[in-house]
Amino acid sequence: DLGGFSGLVACGGFSYGDVLGAGSGWARSILFNARLMERFAAFFARPDTFTLGVCNGCQMVSQLKEIIPGAAHWPRFRRNVSEQFEARAATVEVVESPSILLRGMAGSRLPIAVAHGEGLAVFGTPADAAAAVPALRYVDGRGRPTERYPWNPNGSAGGLTGFTSGDGRATIMMPHPERGFRAVQLSYRPQGLFT
C-alpha cells in the first residue's frame, strides 16, 4: 500500500537482479499484478507525490508510463550502441524542464557516474520522441549535446539520458548522481577532475 508515501525512488545498481533487463522484470511484477498496478496507479495519480527512477529504476519506471500521468511518450531503454557495459564519469547537462527534482538547476553541467549496459533511449514513434520532456543530456568537453562515444556512453539521440513527466512529478535518468559524492568512487574520471 503506497497510500502513506509521498515519494517513490526506484534505485539502480541492479536493484531487481544482477542481470540485463532487470528493470523490465521489475516493471512486469507491477504491471502483471492487478492489485499492485492499481496501487501504483493511485500513487502516481495523487498530486502530492513525486517519483525518481535511476538506472534499473529508470528502466522500471519508464515501463510504467501507461499509469503515470504525463509520461506516455517516454522511451524504453535498450542495449548501449557500444554493446558493452559502460562504467565511467560522463558530463551531464540539466536542461530546462518542469522536473521538481531538478528545479533551479537548468544549465548545470555535472560530472556524474554512469554504470549501465542498457541505457539507449528508444522511442516507440518519432512523435513520441518529439513529445517526450527531456531533463538531462550528455554533453562533450565544450558543453555541446553529443551522440559521440565515449562522451555519450549509450548513444542516445541528442545525448538525452533523463526525462520527466508533463507536470514534473516523475523523473527518470540513466546516470547515477548518488554515486559521485567522492572522486574515489568513480571507475574513470578525467585527469584533474576533483583535485
PDB file of all heavy atoms in Angstrom, residues 75-81 116 118-123 136-138 145-148 152-163 174:
ATOM      1  N   PRO A  75      10.657   7.015 -23.486  1.00  0.00           N
ATOM      2  CA  PRO A  75      11.278   5.907 -24.223  1.00  0.00           C
ATOM      3  C   PRO A  75      11.417   4.668 -23.349  1.00  0.00           C
ATOM      4  O   PRO A  75      11.184   4.714 -22.134  1.00  0.00           O
ATOM      5  CB  PRO A  75      12.674   6.457 -24.541  1.00  0.00           C
ATOM      6  CG  PRO A  75      12.991   7.325 -23.357  1.00  0.00           C
ATOM      7  CD  PRO A  75      11.662   7.972 -22.999  1.00  0.00           C
ATOM      8  N   ARG A  76      11.795   3.586 -23.994  1.00  0.00           N
ATOM      9  CA  ARG A  76      12.288   2.394 -23.290  1.00  0.00           C
ATOM     10  C   ARG A  76      13.800   2.446 -23.441  1.00  0.00           C
ATOM     11  O   ARG A  76      14.320   3.167 -24.281  1.00  0.00           O
ATOM     12  CB  ARG A  76      11.710   1.133 -23.910  1.00  0.00           C
ATOM     13  CG  ARG A  76      10.209   1.022 -23.618  1.00  0.00           C
ATOM     14  CD  ARG A  76       9.662  -0.252 -24.156  1.00  0.00           C
ATOM     15  NE  ARG A  76      10.190  -1.375 -23.390  1.00  0.00           N
ATOM     16  CZ  ARG A  76       9.448  -2.354 -22.898  1.00  0.00           C
ATOM     17  NH1 ARG A  76       8.164  -2.345 -23.092  1.00  0.00           N
ATOM     18  NH2 ARG A  76       9.995  -3.342 -22.242  1.00  0.00           N
ATOM     19  N   PHE A  77      14.489   1.682 -22.648  1.00  0.00           N
ATOM     20  CA  PHE A  77      15.947   1.717 -22.669  1.00  0.00           C
ATOM     21  C   PHE A  77      16.488   0.367 -23.109  1.00  0.00           C
ATOM     22  O   PHE A  77      16.146  -0.668 -22.545  1.00  0.00           O
ATOM     23  CB  PHE A  77      16.486   2.145 -21.300  1.00  0.00           C
ATOM     24  CG  PHE A  77      16.102   3.563 -20.996  1.00  0.00           C
ATOM     25  CD1 PHE A  77      14.893   3.861 -20.386  1.00  0.00           C
ATOM     26  CD2 PHE A  77      16.919   4.607 -21.380  1.00  0.00           C
ATOM     27  CE1 PHE A  77      14.507   5.168 -20.138  1.00  0.00           C
ATOM     28  CE2 PHE A  77      16.551   5.924 -21.143  1.00  0.00           C
ATOM     29  CZ  PHE A  77      15.347   6.209 -20.519  1.00  0.00           C
ATOM     30  N   ARG A  78      17.316   0.409 -24.145  1.00  0.00           N
ATOM     31  CA  ARG A  78      17.853  -0.796 -24.790  1.00  0.00           C
ATOM     32  C   ARG A  78      19.371  -0.833 -24.657  1.00  0.00           C
ATOM     33  O   ARG A  78      19.995   0.090 -24.159  1.00  0.00           O
ATOM     34  CB  ARG A  78      17.467  -0.808 -26.272  1.00  0.00           C
ATOM     35  CG  ARG A  78      15.986  -0.749 -26.523  1.00  0.00           C
ATOM     36  CD  ARG A  78      15.344  -2.063 -26.178  1.00  0.00           C
ATOM     37  NE  ARG A  78      13.962  -2.089 -26.619  1.00  0.00           N
ATOM     38  CZ  ARG A  78      12.974  -2.565 -25.902  1.00  0.00           C
ATOM     39  NH1 ARG A  78      13.193  -3.063 -24.725  1.00  0.00           N
ATOM     40  NH2 ARG A  78      11.748  -2.565 -26.370  1.00  0.00           N
ATOM     41  N   ARG A  79      19.947  -1.877 -25.215  1.00  0.00           N
ATOM     42  CA  ARG A  79      21.400  -2.103 -25.143  1.00  0.00           C
ATOM     43  C   ARG A  79      22.173  -0.914 -25.725  1.00  0.00           C
ATOM     44  O   ARG A  79      21.812  -0.367 -26.768  1.00  0.00           O
ATOM     45  CB  ARG A  79      21.733  -3.380 -25.911  1.00  0.00           C
ATOM     46  CG  ARG A  79      23.142  -3.867 -25.720  1.00  0.00           C
ATOM     47  CD  ARG A  79      23.230  -5.319 -26.198  1.00  0.00           C
ATOM     48  NE  ARG A  79      24.583  -5.805 -26.172  1.00  0.00           N
ATOM     49  CZ  ARG A  79      25.199  -6.261 -25.092  1.00  0.00           C
ATOM     50  NH1 ARG A  79      24.570  -6.282 -23.950  1.00  0.00           N
ATOM     51  NH2 ARG A  79      26.436  -6.698 -25.155  1.00  0.00           N
ATOM     52  N   ASN A  80      23.234  -0.516 -25.032  1.00  0.00           N
ATOM     53  CA  ASN A  80      24.079   0.591 -25.479  1.00  0.00           C
ATOM     54  C   ASN A  80      24.577   0.346 -26.896  1.00  0.00           C
ATOM     55  O   ASN A  80      24.831  -0.797 -27.282  1.00  0.00           O
ATOM     56  CB  ASN A  80      25.301   0.738 -24.564  1.00  0.00           C
ATOM     57  CG  ASN A  80      24.932   1.105 -23.142  1.00  0.00           C
ATOM     58  OD1 ASN A  80      23.873   1.660 -22.890  1.00  0.00           O
ATOM     59  ND2 ASN A  80      25.818   0.799 -22.216  1.00  0.00           N
ATOM     60  N   VAL A  81      24.777   1.410 -27.670  1.00  0.00           N
ATOM     61  CA  VAL A  81      25.322   1.297 -29.016  1.00  0.00           C
ATOM     62  C   VAL A  81      26.693   0.618 -28.977  1.00  0.00           C
ATOM     63  O   VAL A  81      27.045  -0.144 -29.866  1.00  0.00           O
ATOM     64  CB  VAL A  81      25.396   2.688 -29.693  1.00  0.00           C
ATOM     65  CG1 VAL A  81      26.171   2.639 -30.993  1.00  0.00           C
ATOM     66  CG2 VAL A  81      23.982   3.225 -29.943  1.00  0.00           C
ATOM     67  N   HIS A 116      25.882   1.258 -16.780  1.00  0.00           N
ATOM     68  CA  HIS A 116      24.753   0.545 -17.370  1.00  0.00           C
ATOM     69  C   HIS A 116      25.139  -0.102 -18.702  1.00  0.00           C
ATOM     70  O   HIS A 116      26.051   0.356 -19.380  1.00  0.00           O
ATOM     71  CB  HIS A 116      23.555   1.474 -17.572  1.00  0.00           C
ATOM     72  CG  HIS A 116      23.835   2.656 -18.447  1.00  0.00           C
ATOM     73  ND1 HIS A 116      24.125   3.897 -17.942  1.00  0.00           N
ATOM     74  CD2 HIS A 116      23.874   2.785 -19.795  1.00  0.00           C
ATOM     75  CE1 HIS A 116      24.330   4.743 -18.944  1.00  0.00           C
ATOM     76  NE2 HIS A 116      24.187   4.087 -20.075  1.00  0.00           N
ATOM     77  N   GLU A 118      22.342  -1.047 -20.669  1.00  0.00           N
ATOM     78  CA  GLU A 118      21.111  -0.808 -21.434  1.00  0.00           C
ATOM     79  C   GLU A 118      20.583   0.597 -21.140  1.00  0.00           C
ATOM     80  O   GLU A 118      19.612   0.774 -20.433  1.00  0.00           O
ATOM     81  CB  GLU A 118      20.053  -1.833 -21.056  1.00  0.00           C
ATOM     82  CG  GLU A 118      20.453  -3.249 -21.381  1.00  0.00           C
ATOM     83  CD  GLU A 118      19.452  -4.269 -20.873  1.00  0.00           C
ATOM     84  OE1 GLU A 118      18.919  -4.098 -19.767  1.00  0.00           O
ATOM     85  OE2 GLU A 118      19.225  -5.252 -21.588  1.00  0.00           O
ATOM     86  N   GLY A 119      21.246   1.602 -21.718  1.00  0.00           N
ATOM     87  CA  GLY A 119      20.851   2.984 -21.475  1.00  0.00           C
ATOM     88  C   GLY A 119      20.417   3.741 -22.701  1.00  0.00           C
ATOM     89  O   GLY A 119      20.116   4.929 -22.629  1.00  0.00           O
ATOM     90  N   LEU A 120      20.371   3.071 -23.852  1.00  0.00           N
ATOM     91  CA  LEU A 120      19.994   3.721 -25.110  1.00  0.00           C
ATOM     92  C   LEU A 120      18.497   4.012 -25.108  1.00  0.00           C
ATOM     93  O   LEU A 120      17.677   3.097 -25.058  1.00  0.00           O
ATOM     94  CB  LEU A 120      20.347   2.813 -26.289  1.00  0.00           C
ATOM     95  CG  LEU A 120      19.934   3.308 -27.679  1.00  0.00           C
ATOM     96  CD1 LEU A 120      20.709   4.556 -28.058  1.00  0.00           C
ATOM     97  CD2 LEU A 120      20.152   2.204 -28.706  1.00  0.00           C
ATOM     98  N   ALA A 121      18.140   5.298 -25.154  1.00  0.00           N
ATOM     99  CA  ALA A 121      16.728   5.696 -25.174  1.00  0.00           C
ATOM    100  C   ALA A 121      16.145   5.411 -26.557  1.00  0.00           C
ATOM    101  O   ALA A 121      16.632   5.937 -27.559  1.00  0.00           O
ATOM    102  CB  ALA A 121      16.593   7.172 -24.833  1.00  0.00           C
ATOM    103  N   VAL A 122      15.107   4.575 -26.598  1.00  0.00           N
ATOM    104  CA  VAL A 122      14.460   4.192 -27.855  1.00  0.00           C
ATOM    105  C   VAL A 122      12.973   4.529 -27.740  1.00  0.00           C
ATOM    106  O   VAL A 122      12.277   4.031 -26.853  1.00  0.00           O
ATOM    107  CB  VAL A 122      14.648   2.685 -28.151  1.00  0.00           C
ATOM    108  CG1 VAL A 122      13.909   2.283 -29.409  1.00  0.00           C
ATOM    109  CG2 VAL A 122      16.131   2.329 -28.243  1.00  0.00           C
ATOM    110  N   PHE A 123      12.517   5.375 -28.658  1.00  0.00           N
ATOM    111  CA  PHE A 123      11.117   5.809 -28.640  1.00  0.00           C
ATOM    112  C   PHE A 123      10.267   4.921 -29.540  1.00  0.00           C
ATOM    113  O   PHE A 123      10.750   4.427 -30.558  1.00  0.00           O
ATOM    114  CB  PHE A 123      11.016   7.260 -29.100  1.00  0.00           C
ATOM    115  CG  PHE A 123      11.615   8.226 -28.130  1.00  0.00           C
ATOM    116  CD1 PHE A 123      12.934   8.633 -28.255  1.00  0.00           C
ATOM    117  CD2 PHE A 123      10.866   8.712 -27.075  1.00  0.00           C
ATOM    118  CE1 PHE A 123      13.499   9.519 -27.349  1.00  0.00           C
ATOM    119  CE2 PHE A 123      11.413   9.603 -26.160  1.00  0.00           C
ATOM    120  CZ  PHE A 123      12.734  10.003 -26.300  1.00  0.00           C
ATOM    121  N   LEU A 136      17.696  15.675 -18.850  1.00  0.00           N
ATOM    122  CA  LEU A 136      19.161  15.582 -18.809  1.00  0.00           C
ATOM    123  C   LEU A 136      19.689  15.141 -20.161  1.00  0.00           C
ATOM    124  O   LEU A 136      19.026  14.374 -20.865  1.00  0.00           O
ATOM    125  CB  LEU A 136      19.619  14.539 -17.777  1.00  0.00           C
ATOM    126  CG  LEU A 136      19.265  14.738 -16.316  1.00  0.00           C
ATOM    127  CD1 LEU A 136      19.603  13.477 -15.533  1.00  0.00           C
ATOM    128  CD2 LEU A 136      20.004  15.917 -15.736  1.00  0.00           C
ATOM    129  N   ARG A 137      20.925  15.586 -20.474  1.00  0.00           N
ATOM    130  CA  ARG A 137      21.571  15.107 -21.695  1.00  0.00           C
ATOM    131  C   ARG A 137      23.088  15.091 -21.487  1.00  0.00           C
ATOM    132  O   ARG A 137      23.629  15.860 -20.695  1.00  0.00           O
ATOM    133  CB  ARG A 137      21.207  15.981 -22.886  1.00  0.00           C
ATOM    134  CG  ARG A 137      21.676  17.414 -22.775  1.00  0.00           C
ATOM    135  CD  ARG A 137      21.174  18.240 -23.942  1.00  0.00           C
ATOM    136  NE  ARG A 137      21.491  19.657 -23.737  1.00  0.00           N
ATOM    137  CZ  ARG A 137      20.943  20.620 -24.412  1.00  0.00           C
ATOM    138  NH1 ARG A 137      20.036  20.349 -25.339  1.00  0.00           N
ATOM    139  NH2 ARG A 137      21.279  21.876 -24.188  1.00  0.00           N
ATOM    140  N   TYR A 138      23.718  14.169 -22.208  1.00  0.00           N
ATOM    141  CA  TYR A 138      25.178  14.105 -22.188  1.00  0.00           C
ATOM    142  C   TYR A 138      25.726  15.223 -23.061  1.00  0.00           C
ATOM    143  O   TYR A 138      25.178  15.506 -24.130  1.00  0.00           O
ATOM    144  CB  TYR A 138      25.675  12.768 -22.724  1.00  0.00           C
ATOM    145  CG  TYR A 138      25.308  11.593 -21.857  1.00  0.00           C
ATOM    146  CD1 TYR A 138      24.445  10.602 -22.329  1.00  0.00           C
ATOM    147  CD2 TYR A 138      25.821  11.459 -20.574  1.00  0.00           C
ATOM    148  CE1 TYR A 138      24.108   9.518 -21.539  1.00  0.00           C
ATOM    149  CE2 TYR A 138      25.484  10.376 -19.773  1.00  0.00           C
ATOM    150  CZ  TYR A 138      24.624   9.412 -20.263  1.00  0.00           C
ATOM    151  OH  TYR A 138      24.287   8.344 -19.475  1.00  0.00           O
ATOM    152  N   PRO A 145      25.552  19.149 -26.697  1.00  0.00           N
ATOM    153  CA  PRO A 145      24.903  17.829 -26.659  1.00  0.00           C
ATOM    154  C   PRO A 145      25.613  16.895 -27.635  1.00  0.00           C
ATOM    155  O   PRO A 145      25.995  17.318 -28.733  1.00  0.00           O
ATOM    156  CB  PRO A 145      23.475  18.111 -27.125  1.00  0.00           C
ATOM    157  CG  PRO A 145      23.270  19.562 -26.905  1.00  0.00           C
ATOM    158  CD  PRO A 145      24.615  20.212 -27.052  1.00  0.00           C
ATOM    159  N   THR A 146      25.809  15.655 -27.224  1.00  0.00           N
ATOM    160  CA  THR A 146      26.592  14.762 -28.065  1.00  0.00           C
ATOM    161  C   THR A 146      26.012  13.356 -28.149  1.00  0.00           C
ATOM    162  O   THR A 146      25.375  12.882 -27.215  1.00  0.00           O
ATOM    163  CB  THR A 146      28.053  14.685 -27.567  1.00  0.00           C
ATOM    164  OG1 THR A 146      28.832  13.928 -28.482  1.00  0.00           O
ATOM    165  CG2 THR A 146      28.135  14.047 -26.177  1.00  0.00           C
ATOM    166  N   GLU A 147      26.261  12.750 -29.297  1.00  0.00           N
ATOM    167  CA  GLU A 147      25.939  11.341 -29.501  1.00  0.00           C
ATOM    168  C   GLU A 147      27.228  10.538 -29.642  1.00  0.00           C
ATOM    169  O   GLU A 147      27.189   9.335 -29.844  1.00  0.00           O
ATOM    170  CB  GLU A 147      25.066  11.186 -30.751  1.00  0.00           C
ATOM    171  CG  GLU A 147      23.725  11.858 -30.594  1.00  0.00           C
ATOM    172  CD  GLU A 147      22.880  11.847 -31.853  1.00  0.00           C
ATOM    173  OE1 GLU A 147      23.160  11.065 -32.776  1.00  0.00           O
ATOM    174  OE2 GLU A 147      21.933  12.650 -31.909  1.00  0.00           O
ATOM    175  N   ARG A 148      28.382  11.227 -29.558  1.00  0.00           N
ATOM    176  CA  ARG A 148      29.677  10.580 -29.749  1.00  0.00           C
ATOM    177  C   ARG A 148      30.138   9.845 -28.503  1.00  0.00           C
ATOM    178  O   ARG A 148      30.016  10.334 -27.389  1.00  0.00           O
ATOM    179  CB  ARG A 148      30.732  11.609 -30.150  1.00  0.00           C
ATOM    180  CG  ARG A 148      30.499  12.148 -31.550  1.00  0.00           C
ATOM    181  CD  ARG A 148      31.645  12.980 -32.051  1.00  0.00           C
ATOM    182  NE  ARG A 148      32.873  12.184 -32.053  1.00  0.00           N
ATOM    183  CZ  ARG A 148      34.081  12.734 -32.049  1.00  0.00           C
ATOM    184  NH1 ARG A 148      34.223  14.031 -32.040  1.00  0.00           N
ATOM    185  NH2 ARG A 148      35.149  11.965 -32.053  1.00  0.00           N
ATOM    186  N   ASN A 152      29.034  10.263 -24.760  1.00  0.00           N
ATOM    187  CA  ASN A 152      27.688   9.723 -24.616  1.00  0.00           C
ATOM    188  C   ASN A 152      27.861   8.207 -24.541  1.00  0.00           C
ATOM    189  O   ASN A 152      28.070   7.551 -25.555  1.00  0.00           O
ATOM    190  CB  ASN A 152      26.831  10.121 -25.822  1.00  0.00           C
ATOM    191  CG  ASN A 152      25.433   9.543 -25.781  1.00  0.00           C
ATOM    192  OD1 ASN A 152      25.184   8.526 -25.165  1.00  0.00           O
ATOM    193  ND2 ASN A 152      24.523  10.198 -26.475  1.00  0.00           N
ATOM    194  N   PRO A 153      27.814   7.621 -23.362  1.00  0.00           N
ATOM    195  CA  PRO A 153      28.145   6.204 -23.210  1.00  0.00           C
ATOM    196  C   PRO A 153      27.123   5.229 -23.786  1.00  0.00           C
ATOM    197  O   PRO A 153      27.428   4.054 -23.946  1.00  0.00           O
ATOM    198  CB  PRO A 153      28.282   6.021 -21.701  1.00  0.00           C
ATOM    199  CG  PRO A 153      27.478   7.121 -21.109  1.00  0.00           C
ATOM    200  CD  PRO A 153      27.540   8.263 -22.073  1.00  0.00           C
ATOM    201  N   ASN A 154      25.915   5.696 -24.096  1.00  0.00           N
ATOM    202  CA  ASN A 154      24.921   4.749 -24.627  1.00  0.00           C
ATOM    203  C   ASN A 154      24.484   5.042 -26.052  1.00  0.00           C
ATOM    204  O   ASN A 154      23.876   4.205 -26.684  1.00  0.00           O
ATOM    205  CB  ASN A 154      23.702   4.646 -23.703  1.00  0.00           C
ATOM    206  CG  ASN A 154      23.074   5.978 -23.402  1.00  0.00           C
ATOM    207  OD1 ASN A 154      22.883   6.792 -24.291  1.00  0.00           O
ATOM    208  ND2 ASN A 154      22.751   6.213 -22.150  1.00  0.00           N
ATOM    209  N   GLY A 155      24.767   6.237 -26.591  1.00  0.00           N
ATOM    210  CA  GLY A 155      24.442   6.554 -27.973  1.00  0.00           C
ATOM    211  C   GLY A 155      23.070   7.151 -28.209  1.00  0.00           C
ATOM    212  O   GLY A 155      22.640   7.293 -29.353  1.00  0.00           O
ATOM    213  N   SER A 156      22.361   7.528 -27.164  1.00  0.00           N
ATOM    214  CA  SER A 156      21.011   8.087 -27.319  1.00  0.00           C
ATOM    215  C   SER A 156      21.020   9.358 -28.157  1.00  0.00           C
ATOM    216  O   SER A 156      21.917  10.199 -28.022  1.00  0.00           O
ATOM    217  CB  SER A 156      20.396   8.398 -25.957  1.00  0.00           C
ATOM    218  OG  SER A 156      20.185   7.219 -25.226  1.00  0.00           O
ATOM    219  N   ALA A 157      20.028   9.503 -29.013  1.00  0.00           N
ATOM    220  CA  ALA A 157      19.895  10.670 -29.881  1.00  0.00           C
ATOM    221  C   ALA A 157      19.856  11.947 -29.051  1.00  0.00           C
ATOM    222  O   ALA A 157      19.181  12.013 -28.021  1.00  0.00           O
ATOM    223  CB  ALA A 157      18.632  10.556 -30.720  1.00  0.00           C
ATOM    224  N   GLY A 158      20.605  12.945 -29.506  1.00  0.00           N
ATOM    225  CA  GLY A 158      20.637  14.226 -28.819  1.00  0.00           C
ATOM    226  C   GLY A 158      21.312  14.173 -27.460  1.00  0.00           C
ATOM    227  O   GLY A 158      21.255  15.139 -26.708  1.00  0.00           O
ATOM    228  N   GLY A 159      21.909  13.030 -27.131  1.00  0.00           N
ATOM    229  CA  GLY A 159      22.539  12.865 -25.828  1.00  0.00           C
ATOM    230  C   GLY A 159      21.553  12.699 -24.686  1.00  0.00           C
ATOM    231  O   GLY A 159      21.937  12.670 -23.522  1.00  0.00           O
ATOM    232  N   LEU A 160      20.274  12.567 -24.999  1.00  0.00           N
ATOM    233  CA  LEU A 160      19.247  12.538 -23.951  1.00  0.00           C
ATOM    234  C   LEU A 160      19.393  11.312 -23.049  1.00  0.00           C
ATOM    235  O   LEU A 160      19.485  10.184 -23.521  1.00  0.00           O
ATOM    236  CB  LEU A 160      17.852  12.588 -24.567  1.00  0.00           C
ATOM    237  CG  LEU A 160      17.555  13.872 -25.344  1.00  0.00           C
ATOM    238  CD1 LEU A 160      16.182  13.811 -25.990  1.00  0.00           C
ATOM    239  CD2 LEU A 160      17.673  15.090 -24.448  1.00  0.00           C
ATOM    240  N   THR A 161      19.368  11.571 -21.740  1.00  0.00           N
ATOM    241  CA  THR A 161      19.550  10.494 -20.776  1.00  0.00           C
ATOM    242  C   THR A 161      18.649  10.625 -19.554  1.00  0.00           C
ATOM    243  O   THR A 161      18.748   9.862 -18.615  1.00  0.00           O
ATOM    244  CB  THR A 161      21.026  10.399 -20.351  1.00  0.00           C
ATOM    245  OG1 THR A 161      21.216   9.223 -19.586  1.00  0.00           O
ATOM    246  CG2 THR A 161      21.471  11.622 -19.574  1.00  0.00           C
ATOM    247  N   GLY A 162      17.762  11.601 -19.562  1.00  0.00           N
ATOM    248  CA  GLY A 162      16.803  11.775 -18.476  1.00  0.00           C
ATOM    249  C   GLY A 162      15.565  12.469 -18.995  1.00  0.00           C
ATOM    250  O   GLY A 162      15.641  13.309 -19.891  1.00  0.00           O
ATOM    251  N   PHE A 163      14.423  12.096 -18.419  1.00  0.00           N
ATOM    252  CA  PHE A 163      13.129  12.628 -18.864  1.00  0.00           C
ATOM    253  C   PHE A 163      12.253  12.882 -17.651  1.00  0.00           C
ATOM    254  O   PHE A 163      12.484  12.321 -16.574  1.00  0.00           O
ATOM    255  CB  PHE A 163      12.434  11.633 -19.812  1.00  0.00           C
ATOM    256  CG  PHE A 163      13.238  11.353 -21.044  1.00  0.00           C
ATOM    257  CD1 PHE A 163      14.200  10.347 -21.053  1.00  0.00           C
ATOM    258  CD2 PHE A 163      13.077  12.113 -22.190  1.00  0.00           C
ATOM    259  CE1 PHE A 163      14.979  10.105 -22.171  1.00  0.00           C
ATOM    260  CE2 PHE A 163      13.852  11.883 -23.318  1.00  0.00           C
ATOM    261  CZ  PHE A 163      14.805  10.870 -23.307  1.00  0.00           C
ATOM    262  N   MET A 174      19.249   7.791 -16.505  1.00  0.00           N
ATOM    263  CA  MET A 174      20.200   6.690 -16.557  1.00  0.00           C
ATOM    264  C   MET A 174      21.413   6.912 -15.663  1.00  0.00           C
ATOM    265  O   MET A 174      21.866   5.996 -14.995  1.00  0.00           O
ATOM    266  CB  MET A 174      20.674   6.456 -17.992  1.00  0.00           C
ATOM    267  CG  MET A 174      19.980   5.340 -18.708  1.00  0.00           C
ATOM    268  SD  MET A 174      20.225   3.768 -17.892  1.00  0.00           S
ATOM    269  CE  MET A 174      18.562   3.199 -17.891  1.00  0.00           C
TER     270      MET A 174
END
